[in-house]
Amino acid sequence: MRLLVRFLGFLFAAGTILFLVGVSAVAGLLWHYSKDLPDYTQLKNYEPPVMTRVHAADGSLLAEYAKERRLYLPIQAIPKRVINSFLAAEDKNFYEHGGIDFTGMARAALLYAQNYGSNRRPQGASTITQQVAKNFLLTNEVSFTRKIKEALLAMRIERTYSKEKILELYLNEIYLGLGAYGIAAASLVYFDKSVNELTIAEAAYLAALPKAPAQLHPVRNHDRAVERRNYVIDRLAENGWIKPAEAAAARKEPLVVTSRSNATHVFAGEYFAEEVRRDIFERYGEKKLYEGGLSVRATLDPKLQVIARQAMVKGLVNYDESVGWRGPVTKIDISGDWGIKLAEVKSLSDVSPWRMAVVLEANDQSARIGFQPGRVLGGAVSKARDTGLVTMDGVRWAK
């Protein structure tokens, strides 16, 4: 009996020593990595580079200038459905944890073990606060050291700032693809809408982007983008943030994006806007122009500008027809996909509705032509191929 007591006492002493050694080691490790942490208090006075916007005389948006497309929104101006979409996609326990989500880490580790060897992408365990620490204060280096610093900074940020402030920083800084930083800019770039106009499906798609914006491109990787968007919608319903009927309707909604170059705010005033840009540059310099978030009111009247452009184009076309046929701009091989080759031919961009075209086949009475295809979001040539028929009456001027 006495030996058993001694043995248990030995185990207790050994366990105590090991525990104290472990605590000391962890404390030493934390002290070591805490020595050179970045100053997280600078987040209080964070002023991001914001794009300059030029408005026409009637207040309509004429042009935007920025190196990083960004508009800063206070958290109070961001709708709850947008916030919930990002929480569902990135950090559903955001309001419960103190910077590190240990439950999420355990869940991610379990899923990793279950999917080991399946080539499936591991589920991330970084909280929104950790992402703020990384995006603002650290680099994208993949290392054990950076993850420790990220976790330490996250806990300090949580003790210093409110949850609303952390969310505000995150939603305005996160990169969402196509040069858009922050939810306000991304809403305009992808859907030409303010954040208040986003549907559940649109908000869910934007919330799906932070992990891999390039891999979830709405045109090049459309099916994958829809799959990830629907995953976010499912998480919204699972968390009780939207009703099952709303989730079902959102999943059926097609993912349709609006190219900003074709949006209604672009008027026939590109040359005018360029003169405004030069004037701002000369007055305030490059940094203010591209990062200062200036709001400029110009004298251009969009309605009169469109009428003037139409009159100019009509005069140019009449003059060109009076000169007669001057031959083709160039010649291309129309075998295979003629659209790709035609898209590379430089054409006039300011004589709308006239478009560059290639003759696909011709006879004595008419010619079938193929119009130069446009470009989709991201710059790729559109897959649509529009053709038309030119009759003899339509080219009498050429003789």
Side-chain angles (χ1 to χ4, degrees):
M1 185 66 182
R2 188 174 296 175
L3 288 175
L4 179 61
V5 171
R6 287 182 178 180
F7 179 70
L8 292 175
F10 171 77
L11 287 181
F12 178 77
T16 302
I17 292 172
L18 288 175
F19 174 76
L20 293 174
V21 169
V23 169
S24 300
V26 170
L29 192 67
L30 293 178
W31 176 83
H32 172 74
Y33 285 110
S34 297
K35 287 190 300 181
D36 56 349
L37 285 178
D39 179 16
Y40 60 92
T41 59
Q42 62 183 280
L43 297 178
K44 181 179 180 180
N45 301 315
Y46 173 64
E47 293 184 4
V50 179
M51 62 183 168
T52 289
R53 311 184 91 198
V54 180
H55 298 268
D58 64 354
S60 303
L61 182 62
L62 177 62
E64 296 171 329
Y65 300 112
K67 292 180 179 178
E68 295 180 356
R69 300 179 66 89
R70 191 197 311 269
L71 292 169
Y72 198 92
L73 282 181
I75 193 65
Q76 295 83 0
I78 303 176
K80 196 67 177 177
R81 64 176 172 276
V82 174
I83 294 174
N84 286 343
S85 294
F86 278 86
L87 294 181
E90 296 292 314
D91 188 358
K92 75 172 185 177
N93 297 324
F94 175 71
Y95 284 102
E96 279 73 51
H97 64 66
I100 302 175
D101 184 5
F102 294 102
T103 302
M105 291 173 63
R107 183 172 60 251
L110 180 62
L111 285 174
Y112 176 77
Q114 292 175 344
N115 298 326
Y116 183 77
S118 65
N119 294 323
R120 293 182 63 180
R121 189 176 185 273
Q123 179 177 314
S126 292
T127 64
I128 282 178
T129 314
Q130 286 176 271
Q131 292 181 58
V132 167
K134 182 187 73 172
N135 294 338
F136 283 88
L137 304 171
L138 299 171
T139 67
N140 287 323
E141 173 194 5
V142 179
S143 68
F144 183 66
T145 298
R146 197 217 76 197
K147 291 299 292 184
I148 292 178
K149 289 183 176 181
E150 180 185 292
L152 291 173
L153 281 169
M155 290 188 288
R156 293 186 178 187
I157 289 171
E158 287 274 353
R159 291 198 299 267
T160 307
Y161 302 103
S162 67
K163 289 288 187 179
E164 285 67 30
K165 180 63 176 178
I166 295 169
L167 262 181
E168 182 178 293
L169 290 169
Y170 173 77
L171 291 173
N172 281 288
E173 175 66 18
I174 193 71
Y175 180 63
L176 296 171
L178 300 182
Y181 289 80
I183 185 63
S187 180
L188 291 171
V189 168
Y190 286 97
F191 302 111
D192 196 31
K193 293 181 177 181
S194 71
V195 290
N196 292 299
E197 298 174 304
L198 292 174
T199 65
I200 292 173
E202 291 166 343
Y205 171 67
L206 295 182
L209 290 172
K211 285 287 192 291
Q215 296 174 24
L216 298 175
H217 192 281
V219 177
R220 292 196 300 267
N221 301 315
H222 182 269
D223 291 345
R224 186 173 180 182
V226 170
E227 180 183 357
R228 178 64 183 174
R229 180 204 68 178
N230 290 348
Y231 167 83
V232 177
I233 293 171
D234 289 341
R235 299 291 76 76
L236 282 167
E238 182 182 284
N239 296 332
W241 292 334
I242 60 174
K243 298 176 182 178
E246 292 176 313
R251 281 192 293 268
K252 293 178 182 178
E253 187 175 314
L255 177 57
V256 179
V257 293
T258 302
S259 172
R260 287 289 274 170
S261 61
N262 296 326
T264 56
H265 72 276
V266 178
F267 306 107
E270 296 89 345
Y271 299 112
F272 182 92
E274 173 58 18
E275 285 302 311
V276 173
R277 187 197 68 81
R278 292 180 183 180
D279 186 51
I280 298 171
F281 182 87
E282 291 173 1
R283 291 189 188 208
Y284 304 108
E286 181 180 6
K287 187 174 180 65
K288 275 290 185 182
L289 171 63
Y290 293 109
E291 300 179 13
L294 301 178
S295 179
V296 182
R297 179 62 64 90
T299 57
L300 180 139
D301 185 321
K303 294 179 181 178
L304 293 179
Q305 184 71 13
V306 170
I307 293 171
R309 175 60 65 86
Q310 290 172 344
M312 184 188 72
V313 170
K314 184 178 180 181
L316 289 173
V317 171
N318 289 339
Y319 171 77
D320 197 49
E321 290 183 350
S322 70
V323 173
W325 174 244
R326 292 178 287 108
V329 174
T330 187
K331 294 182 179 180
I332 63 173
D333 180 7
I334 60 172
S335 60
D337 187 355
W338 52 265
I340 296 291
K341 300 164 190 173
L342 184 58
E344 300 305 318
V345 178
K346 187 176 181 180
S347 61
L348 298 176
S349 61
D350 55 358
V351 288
S352 177
W354 297 86
R355 297 166 62 187
M356 175 80 72
V358 62
V359 176
L360 301 175
E361 56 184 349
N363 54 42
D364 294 339
Q365 300 300 317
S366 64
R368 190 169 71 89
I369 60 173
F371 291 103
Q372 188 176 51
R375 293 185 180 272
V376 297
L377 200 68
V381 177
S382 171
K383 295 180 180 180
R385 299 291 177 263
D386 298 331
T387 60
L389 194 68
V390 177
T391 63
M392 187 63 69
D393 291 338
V395 293
R396 290 193 185 280
W397 61 270
K399 295 186 177 181

